[in-house]
Amino acid sequence: MAFDPLTAVHRFGMGPSPLHALPRRATDLLEEAAAGDPFADTHPFTTTADIVSTEGTFRDARGIAAKNAGTVTGDAAKELSREMIRDMRDQSFGDFRALIVRHVGQPLGLGERLVTFWTDHFTVVGMGGIGQYGGAAYSADAIRPYIAGSFAEMAKAVIRAPLMLVYLDQILSTGPNSVTGKRRAGRGINENLARELLELHTLGVGGPYDQRDVRELAALLTGLSTQRGEGFRWRPGIVEPGPETVLGRVYAGDDLSAIDAAIEDLARHPSTARHLAHKLAVHFVSDAPPEALIRHMAARYVASDGDLGALSAAMLEHPAAWDPARVNVKWPVDYMSSALRALGLTPERMARTSLKDVRNLLLNPMGRMGQRWERAPDPAGWEEADFAWITPQAVAERVNWAMRAPVRLTQALPDPRDLLGLIAGDTAPGELSFAISAAQDRREGVGLVLASPSFQRR
């Protein structure tokens, strides 16, 4: 099986668009992904610094409201905190709009697919207050810069991300033999971040570690912390004195360099290579990828010292990745983004979409399809298995969206026959061609194409 341009944009990109040419070779996708984010300056995301600053003001307002409850000052502070939540909610809608701008604007879109994948791999969910709207900032700062670079550097950025430290309760972790731990009885080590680093992020479920490794890594990670309004903090006073031994290797320093060394060793481990290769192949190729593909990708990862660009390149160069059969069901966010691309919507048009329409035409339907933005069900992230996305309710919502949303997003609906040719080329199913020829109008014909299995699978 060899490279096919249409398979390339369906399986590894954001889908075909009448505004962008198909790739000529697989390396076109890789080169675009490595080039970075062309919309960073014109359509920026909220930054972690923005979230941290707003959290500080929010914290202060809540404190004033509690201290002065029932007074004019207290009421004003309470209203301020409400306004800030509303403003950050709207900013979150704006961040999603900026994401869609990228999804429709990138000529091919492998980079955006990789951002989605790695953000899900290192899943976080904002917890309460302003932090619940920090997902886009987390992804922009801790994931995007590394999708074609070092996995170890990405992991280091992730464990310093305030959202991750709150989500996995690292802020509750205090070494019992630390300065603070000795002074305050009842403080202890929280193992959540350490366990997920080993089980989900690096070695994988069933990897070569045991509970002792979890405990030792958790002790090593003490000191990583954050506080509302302050961002990442290294707190030496809560560090459990070392040394710690993880997977047989001793880490003696009670500082960030020892933690970084452990992350680098975990990133280089052969089990990490296999875990990441398998997970990436499942996401892009099929729920049951060929063993030969996984071995090839894992070997390239090890040979490149954990380079994610090399891992992606190994996937795209292997013949097993180009099976013409489309089997993977698109996640809701990818389904809608690929539909917008197929309809010919431009980044400029999407940037003008009102926040109300972002919510009503994109975010709310996506949630009903089973994927609430930035609200993955647990640290393992979104389900990869196709059956999770084709429940009766989710499929009904996709069909409903395909029939109703396009005409509200653009008045220039394409001819359904042209749309079918764009997404299927000369492989369009005969029954689908017949169905759109019998459609009552252009709106219905477009909806049939976008609701079809030919479009919903990669």
Side-chain angles (χ1 to χ4, degrees):
M1 289 167 283
F3 167 81
D4 172 68
L6 201 54
T7 299
V9 289
H10 274 297
R11 183 167 298 158
F12 302 109
M14 293 305 306
S17 165
L19 306 178
H20 303 296
L22 294 174
R24 294 171 297 169
R25 54 190 183 275
T27 52
D28 290 348
L29 290 93
L30 296 165
E31 289 169 4
E32 182 184 283
D37 181 3
F39 298 97
D41 294 330
T42 55
H43 299 87
F45 293 108
T46 305
T47 67
T48 299
D50 293 333
I51 298 292
V52 167
S53 175
T54 305
E55 277 191 319
T57 305
F58 180 76
R59 175 199 61 199
D60 295 343
R62 293 290 296 271
I64 293 170
K67 183 179 180 180
N68 299 279
T71 69
V72 173
T73 300
D75 291 345
K78 193 173 183 179
E79 180 55 31
L80 174 61
S81 65
R82 289 197 193 99
E83 289 178 3
M84 294 179 71
I85 290 290
R86 288 194 293 268
D87 288 346
M88 288 305 297
R89 179 201 62 197
D90 288 347
Q91 182 64 59
S92 177
F93 295 161
D95 284 334
F96 184 77
R97 180 173 59 192
L99 182 71
I100 297 300
V101 164
R102 288 159 171 80
H103 284 188
V104 302
Q106 286 278 35
L108 302 174
L110 173 62
E112 290 304 313
R113 293 283 312 285
L114 290 170
V115 169
T116 298
F117 173 81
W118 290 114
T119 300
D120 183 71
H121 180 75
F122 288 109
T123 286
V124 297
V125 176
M127 310 296 284
I130 301 299
Q132 67 185 301
Y133 302 114
Y138 162 77
S139 180
D141 294 344
I143 303 297
R144 279 184 178 273
Y146 307 103
I147 59 168
S150 164
F151 176 73
E153 293 305 309
M154 181 186 286
K156 291 177 192 176
V158 163
I159 65 168
R160 288 164 168 80
L163 218 61
M164 179 64 81
L165 297 175
V166 173
Y167 179 52
L168 292 182
D169 297 323
Q170 185 62 28
I171 58 172
L172 305 178
S173 191
T174 299
N177 297 306
S178 67
V179 173
T180 300
K182 289 178 178 179
R183 191 171 64 243
R184 300 182 184 178
R187 295 287 184 104
I189 294 175
N190 187 286
E191 297 179 353
N192 288 358
L193 179 58
R195 180 171 289 103
E196 305 307 3
L197 275 171
L198 295 172
E199 182 174 298
L200 298 179
H201 302 152
T202 57
L203 306 177
V205 176
Y209 65 92
D210 56 25
Q211 180 56 27
R212 178 178 296 181
D213 293 309
V214 174
R215 288 197 305 267
E216 290 284 291
L217 181 57
L220 182 63
L221 295 177
T222 53
L224 300 174
S225 190
T226 186
Q227 191 168 337
R228 281 186 177 178
E230 297 185 14
F232 171 72
R233 293 179 63 192
W234 172 251
R235 298 177 60 192
I238 64 173
V239 174
E240 179 69 5
E244 285 85 17
T245 302
V246 181
L247 301 185
R249 183 159 297 187
V250 177
Y251 301 93
D254 295 330
D255 54 25
L256 269 171
S257 64
I259 294 174
D260 286 345
I263 294 297
E264 289 166 4
D265 288 339
L266 288 171
R268 293 190 185 102
H269 199 284
S271 292
T272 298
R274 180 172 178 82
H275 175 54
L276 299 183
H278 178 267
K279 190 171 180 180
L280 195 69
V282 166
H283 184 78
F284 280 93
V285 179
S286 79
D287 286 355
E291 179 62 25
L293 172 62
I294 297 168
R295 288 199 303 266
H296 178 72
M297 293 169 64
R300 182 67 60 80
Y301 177 92
V302 170
S304 66
D305 198 28
D307 183 80
L308 296 181
L311 180 64
S312 297
M315 176 175 63
L316 267 64
E317 73 188 18
H318 198 279
W322 297 96
D323 187 327
R326 295 185 191 169
V327 292
N328 272 7
V329 175
K330 296 176 183 178
W331 285 0
V333 64
D334 295 332
Y335 169 63
M336 291 195 304
S337 293
S338 61
L340 299 175
R341 287 174 64 88
L343 293 171
L345 291 172
T346 65
E348 293 77 18
R349 165 64 185 86
M350 296 314 302
R352 295 195 304 270
T353 306
S354 69
L355 295 183
K356 180 179 179 181
D357 281 347
V358 168
R359 181 182 68 242
N360 292 336
L361 298 181
L362 300 174
L363 281 171
N364 288 348
M366 192 171 90
R368 291 191 293 270
M369 292 176 196
Q371 189 174 31
R372 290 181 62 204
W373 190 50
E374 298 182 345
R375 288 293 179 271
D378 55 53
W382 295 107
E383 178 62 65
E384 288 286 2
D386 293 337
F387 69 79
W389 305 108
I390 51 175
T391 65
Q393 179 181 348
V395 171
E397 182 60 37
R398 290 187 186 220
V399 173
N400 183 61
W401 186 86
M403 292 294 179
R404 296 175 181 272
V407 74
R408 296 184 60 184
L409 289 163
T410 176
Q411 298 302 311
L413 290 176
D415 186 308
R417 293 166 296 183
D418 295 337
L419 180 62
L420 182 57
L422 176 76
I423 69 163
D426 57 5
T427 64
E431 60 271 22
L432 182 55
S433 297
F434 175 79
I436 64 173
S437 69
Q440 293 183 5
D441 52 31
R442 182 167 290 202
R443 179 193 65 80
E444 183 177 280
V446 165
L448 289 170
V449 174
L450 298 182
S452 68
S454 295
F455 188 75
Q456 296 201 45
R457 292 184 179 273
R458 297 189 188 282

